[in-house]
Amino acid sequence: MKVFNAVEATAAEAAAKAAAARRAAAVWRRTTVAQRVQVLRALWKALAARREEIRAVVHEETGKPLIEVDLMELGPAALLVGWMTSAAHRVLGDKAASKPWSLFNKRAYERRVPRGVIGLITPWNMPFLIPFGDAFAAMLAGNAVLLKPSEWTTKTALWLENAVAATALLPEGLLSVVSGGAAAGEAVLDASDMIVFTGSMKTGRSVAVRAAGQLKPVILELGGKHPMIVLADAALERASSAAVWGACSNAGQVCVGVERVFVEAPVYDRFIELLRPKVAALRQSLDGKRADVGRLVFPPLLDRIQEQLDDARKKGARVIGGEVLDRDNLLMAPALVLDARMDMRVMSEESFGPVIPVMKVSRAEEAVGLSNAGPEGLAASVWTTDLARGERLAAALEVGLVGVNEPSSHYAYGALPFGGMKQSGMGRRHGEEGLLAFTQAQSVLVHEWPAGVSDLWWFPYNERKAGFLRRLMGLP
Ligand code: NAD
């Protein structure tokens, strides 16, 4: 049986890490963007050279097939590093501000100032990619990082902390791990200047409340319920393969993964005919080799998914697969839930497992309405050969991440802001917005010349001066 593997940091340990992070932040904030780009590129090179160790520790903690460690953790990390380091100068460098001609003797520009210590509170589904990617962005922007990993994937985070320290490239304590559960998360929140929380809506809400009490900025990256909307004119081969991959990659434990499929009535039967053999062909193993689908990571998930499947069965759905294959090792067969309806839990609650509920709809617009009616707004996709219609429907979906004939690969596109609308989150990681979020604007005005003369609008006031200034400012 999988066990809780975190060693709970004591309050004194958390305080010592926070103090070290603050000392490191004071040193690091004095570096230039160019220096940080150079050091952090070298850091990634050193970490990537040890990728066999990353594959091993991530597989040990999550059971994901080794190929998925490459495709879903290391590959996107490499792409993010590439985009972030090439965009850093443009995004984080000083920016001259335009000014009225009448202020011709002054200079105005915007500086981006690091926030200080960034607290990252992360989940267990992508134990390397999420902490590493956000830590990289935060450090690139000039901050130190206190990382509170999921208690279910602490080893991966500790590997990262040790591997970073072993490079000796960064000030001591710039990236450190405070391990444990909720108490450690709260300690990190209290010690940080800004929090990026990735996890469930429930915990996200309590993190937001605590952060609000301390007036600290918080980015929330929460759960979703990706609706995949398949139109009658869709390329069904690609769409059915995407449904299987979108719902079952990482054993379905992907926040943007396909959680439900709405299919227009004329192609519903054909779509299912294509789907069934593709689900049946999925290979499973615990050793990470020759496998498509691994095990679940979080023990309570197995029962929660089984309850959702029971509920669907009771309400008249046809459930194919979904058996518990190895309870001790959290291995379940992927499940197809046919003839699903909105009153089934599997259509409205996040499953976060290898489950594909399929529901017939009369028109795509009906599916858009059903999707928008829920509290989630993370990811969605539309499948059609009419790209213009697909993009119109995509625009009507209230989600932060949308695909047309694309399931869920936004995370790897560093230039694209990543995050949810409605209760799926607040703020964005990635993109210019994601890098800027780790800084604050400092607006700088420099009076260049003449050195010893007062500005016209200073005391003393008089009517002649006022008339001239009014004309200068374009007032009638
Ligand atoms: P979770 O909310 O249970 O835990 C997330 C983190 O919060 C963990 O590190 C946990 O220890 C910590 N935590 C728990 N209580 C806390 C508290 N009171 N104060 C501070 N920290 C606390 O989530 P999970 O089960 O680890 O992750 C799965 C969820 O994450 C799913 O809902 C999934 O959709 C979501 N997720 C979202 C994204 C995204 O980018 N939007 C990405 C991955 C996962």
Side-chain angles (χ1 to χ4, degrees):
M1 182 66 193
K2 299 288 148 211
V3 289
F4 173 85
N5 67 17
V7 177
E8 190 80 35
T10 63
E13 282 163 352
K17 295 249 176 164
R22 212 151 275 288
R23 284 195 298 274
V27 175
W28 190 240
R29 70 185 293 132
R30 291 200 295 270
T31 55
T32 63
V33 175
Q35 287 167 332
R36 298 201 292 267
V37 164
Q38 195 187 12
V39 170
L40 290 170
R41 275 191 179 137
L43 177 78
W44 169 245
K45 206 168 157 210
L47 295 180
R50 297 176 63 179
R51 71 179 179 283
E52 286 309 325
E53 292 171 48
I54 302 176
R55 292 172 99 209
V57 68
V58 172
H59 172 71
E60 180 195 338
E61 283 197 307
T62 64
K64 71 178 79 184
L66 292 168
I67 188 167
E68 283 192 338
V69 184
D70 291 343
L71 296 179
M72 299 197 157
E73 306 257 6
L74 292 166
L79 295 173
L80 288 174
V81 167
W83 182 81
M84 286 195 261
T85 51
S86 62
H89 294 97
R90 180 172 53 79
V91 179
L92 298 170
D94 292 351
K95 281 177 204 66
S98 66
K99 59 187 182 192
W101 69 265
S102 49
L103 299 179
F104 61 95
N105 58 339
K106 298 177 192 290
R107 196 151 45 85
Y109 66 99
E110 176 189 336
R111 285 184 63 218
R112 301 304 306 192
V113 183
R115 288 187 182 272
V117 175
I118 308 293
L120 303 179
I121 303 177
T122 57
W124 41 260
N125 63 329
M126 302 286 172
F128 181 79
L129 178 63
I130 293 177
F132 172 77
D134 289 346
F136 196 90
M139 294 190 296
L140 190 58
N143 303 283
V145 171
L146 276 180
L147 166 62
K148 208 305 280 176
S150 167
E151 52 274 51
W152 298 96
T153 50
T154 307
K155 276 189 192 166
T156 303
L158 292 175
W159 182 91
L160 179 64
E161 182 188 44
N162 288 331
V164 166
T167 66
L169 286 165
L170 304 178
E172 204 181 323
L174 194 73
L175 167 62
S176 54
V177 172
V178 177
S179 60
E186 290 176 358
V188 162
L189 188 156
D190 294 350
S192 305
D193 301 302
M194 171 188 173
I195 297 90
V196 181
F197 171 84
T198 309
S200 62
M201 281 186 197
K202 184 167 169 271
T203 315
R205 196 167 286 122
S206 67
V207 165
V209 167
R210 194 174 180 97
Q214 300 174 34
L215 292 180
K216 287 183 179 169
V218 56
I219 291 181
L220 299 176
E221 298 282 4
L222 311 178
K225 191 68 192 167
H226 182 144
M228 172 172 179
I229 304 176
V230 182
L231 276 64
D233 70 349
L236 294 183
E237 267 301 343
R238 178 175 166 83
S240 54
S241 297
V244 180
W245 184 78
C248 299
S249 52
N250 213 40
Q253 302 160 117
V254 181
C255 56
V256 292
V258 171
E259 285 268 329
R260 48 191 170 163
V261 188
F262 295 101
V263 186
E264 282 189 336
V267 293
Y268 181 80
D269 290 339
R270 176 69 189 137
F271 185 77
I272 285 168
E273 216 174 273
L274 289 168
L275 210 52
R276 286 185 66 160
K278 290 178 184 176
V279 175
L282 293 172
R283 299 163 306 164
Q284 293 190 274
S285 83
L286 288 168
D287 66 5
K289 297 176 190 141
R290 293 173 300 282
D292 301 308
V293 180
R295 64 167 171 87
L296 302 177
V297 183
F298 181 51
L301 200 53
L302 189 65
D303 287 334
R304 197 177 80 199
I305 294 172
Q306 292 303 316
E307 283 163 23
Q308 289 185 352
L309 296 179
D310 283 345
D311 171 75
R313 270 187 212 101
K314 274 190 208 123
K315 291 174 179 158
R318 284 184 288 153
V319 178
I320 300 167
E323 305 85 5
V324 175
L325 302 174
D326 180 344
R327 175 164 286 277
D328 283 352
N329 287 301
L330 304 174
L331 191 68
M332 65 167 278
L336 253 179
V337 182
L338 305 180
D339 305 333
R341 288 194 325 263
M342 286 309 288
D343 63 341
M344 297 172 182
R345 287 175 54 187
V346 81
M347 287 299 284
S348 57
E349 276 176 20
E350 189 178 43
S351 299
F352 222 57
V355 180
I356 317 176
V358 193
M359 175 171 154
K360 192 190 288 184
V361 287
S362 56
R363 300 186 66 227
E365 285 75 5
E366 181 190 345
V368 171
L370 291 171
S371 307
N372 286 347
E376 310 84 1
L378 188 57
S381 58
V382 180
W383 299 76
T384 171
T385 46
D386 180 348
L387 296 185
R389 174 143 193 250
E391 288 182 54
R392 274 198 306 279
L393 287 166
L397 282 157
E398 294 164 1
V399 291
L401 307 156
V402 71
V404 177
N405 301 326
E406 268 293 325
S408 49
S409 302
H410 301 75
Y411 210 98
Y413 290 73
L416 285 178
F418 184 101
M421 291 183 184
K422 302 201 289 191
Q423 292 182 33
S424 286
M426 273 163 48
R428 297 287 182 271
R429 55 159 60 97
H430 304 171
E432 293 188 12
E433 192 177 340
L435 270 182
L436 290 174
F438 290 120
T439 62
Q440 301 189 74
Q442 185 180 55
S443 297
V444 185
L445 271 183
V446 182
H447 173 79
E448 292 192 309
W449 59 273
V453 179
S454 297
D455 278 330
L456 214 52
W457 51 88
W458 295 357
F459 299 135
Y461 297 148
N462 63 52
E463 268 317 305
R464 229 179 105 230
K465 209 171 169 180
F468 176 70
L469 284 170
R470 271 196 292 272
R471 280 196 300 285
L472 204 63
M473 291 187 288
L475 291 173

